[in-house]
């Protein structure tokens, strides 16, 4: 798919990796729906839109708590009114908080699973209704294969997302190609200590952190290639074979 002139939604693009994806899509001529969750992230989302426009693109800011189906529907009504359709969805929004199996509460489980698996599924379902042909990219994690003991529910949520990825590829073929990317250590969570950062890097084959650009490049590759669907690309410095 040629990105120029296409309509794209990037969830959780007020900052970090989502912002970089939104800006790069704009640079390539897409009109971008910048999504954020709350009033607290509105200023960041507006800043992303500023970068989108500066990159030569256009777009708008859309707010939704994606754990709430009603808010997802309201967001898509707004996107439909503003854009008229959609060609690209990047399911980037995610929560990442620690809890071992024994510490996992129902509230924590629901937060991780609802944000990281249920929300991307329903966002994709609604997005597909706006697409004649399109691309859906899901941001996953190697934790979905190996289940990190300290991030039990998070890992399960990303395992579910990988199943959602394969299932959606079948459900929407041949009209829409659906693929996933599993980033390695790229942008560390703010709460990570130096020790945690070093340990994450040590667990890659390449012994270094990646960059947001590495992830953006994989997103662009999957959008531009029309003969890949149901795939997962690890962009993780070899973390998944360690
Ligand atoms: N960073 C890494 O090195 C790394 C490694 C492995 C995988 N990944 C994956 O790559 C993607 C991007 O990573 P990141 O670190 O840039 O993400 P992030 O900063 O952890 O999260 C991106 C955004 O998701 C939004 N979000 C979370 N839950 C939401 C909900 N229920 N409803 C609406 N928005 C919600 C938040 O928006 P608001 O700020 O508006 O609340 C947040 O800014 C994620 O899917 C992540 O799992 C990243």
């Amino acid at each position: 798919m040629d990105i120029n002139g296409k309509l794209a939604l990037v969830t959780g693009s007020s900052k970090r990796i989502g912002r970089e994806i939104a800006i790069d899509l704009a640079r390539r001529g897409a009109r971008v729906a910048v999504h954020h969750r709350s009033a607290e992230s509105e200023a960041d989302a507006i800043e992303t839109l500023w970068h989108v426009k500066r990159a030569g693109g256009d777009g708008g800011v859309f707010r939704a708590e994606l754990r709430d189906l009603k808010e997802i529907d309201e967001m898509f009504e707004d996107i439909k009114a503003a854009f008229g359709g959609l060609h690209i969805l990047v399911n980037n929004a995610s929560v990442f908080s620690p809890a071992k199996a024994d510490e996992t509460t129902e509230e924590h489980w629901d937060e991780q699973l609802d944000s990281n698996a249920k929300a991307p599924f329903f966002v994709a379902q609604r997005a597909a209704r706006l697409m004649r042909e399109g691309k859906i990219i899901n941001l996953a994690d190697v934790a979905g294969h190996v289940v990190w003991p300290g991030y039990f529910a998070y890992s399960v949520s990303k395992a579910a997302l990988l199943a959602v990825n394969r299932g959606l590829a079948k459900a929407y073929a041949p009209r829409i190609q659906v693929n996933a990317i599993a980033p390695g250590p790229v942008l560390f969570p703010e709460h990570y200590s130096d020790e945690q950062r070093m340990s994450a890097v040590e667990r890659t084959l390449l012994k270094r952190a990646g960059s947001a650009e590495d992830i953006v490049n994989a997103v662009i590759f999957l959008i531009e290639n029309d003969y890949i669907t149901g795939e997962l690309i690890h962009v993780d410095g070899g973390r998944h074979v360690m």
Side-chain angles (χ1 to χ4, degrees):
M1 174 186 278
D2 180 2
I3 293 170
N4 191 23
K6 298 298 189 298
L7 308 167
L9 164 62
V10 185
T11 65
S13 51
S14 64
K15 44 188 183 269
R16 292 167 58 86
I17 294 174
R19 172 183 281 182
E20 298 307 319
I21 295 169
I23 295 170
D24 202 74
L25 289 171
R27 195 174 291 128
R28 291 164 197 274
R31 194 160 171 216
V32 185
V34 174
H35 157 263
H36 71 105
R37 173 170 37 185
S38 58
E40 291 88 81
S41 50
E42 189 176 8
D44 286 329
I46 290 169
E47 196 179 321
T48 300
L49 184 61
W50 182 83
H51 286 290
V52 158
K53 290 185 173 166
R54 197 160 156 252
D58 190 15
V61 168
F62 300 86
R63 196 206 62 78
E65 163 55 76
L66 300 177
R67 293 178 66 187
D68 184 336
L69 215 56
K70 196 166 151 278
E71 294 201 17
I72 291 179
D73 281 337
E74 285 165 3
M75 176 180 75
F76 275 103
E77 275 168 30
D78 292 344
I79 290 174
K80 193 176 176 191
F83 284 20
L86 201 66
H87 304 99
I88 297 163
L89 163 66
V90 183
N91 265 326
N92 168 82
S94 173
V95 286
F96 177 65
S97 46
K100 293 178 184 162
D102 190 44
E103 300 160 350
T104 299
T105 60
E106 185 180 14
E107 190 190 349
H108 176 79
W109 177 274
D110 287 347
E111 186 205 20
Q112 302 295 303
L113 271 287
D114 287 358
S115 294
N116 297 354
K118 181 181 163 189
F121 168 73
F122 282 106
V123 170
Q125 183 199 61
R126 269 45 176 187
R129 292 175 185 163
L130 283 187
M131 292 177 180
R132 207 157 51 85
E133 293 180 336
K135 305 278 181 169
I136 296 175
I137 314 287
N138 295 303
L139 271 291
D141 196 308
V142 68
H145 302 305
V146 295
V147 184
W148 295 334
Y151 288 81
F152 194 93
Y154 170 79
S155 302
V156 173
S157 74
K158 291 293 190 179
L161 180 62
L162 291 174
V164 165
N165 185 64
R166 290 191 300 273
L168 289 177
K170 289 188 205 175
Y172 293 122
R175 192 166 62 89
I176 299 168
Q177 287 88 61
V178 185
N179 293 291
I181 295 166
V186 173
L187 294 182
F188 295 106
E190 278 155 25
H191 68 267
Y192 257 35
S193 64
D194 286 349
E195 201 179 40
Q196 284 174 304
R197 288 166 198 243
M198 274 165 56
S199 148
V201 166
E202 202 45 47
R203 279 182 274 125
T204 68
L205 284 180
L206 302 185
K207 305 297 177 207
R208 62 179 173 82
S211 67
E213 194 186 351
D214 294 321
I215 308 307
V216 171
N217 289 342
V219 171
I220 300 302
F221 168 74
L222 287 171
I223 294 171
E224 290 186 337
N225 192 304
D226 295 329
Y227 202 53
I228 301 178
T229 195
E231 188 56 273
L232 163 68
I233 300 183
H234 295 90
V235 186
D236 67 351
R239 168 78 177 84
H240 67 289
V241 293
M242 285 289 279

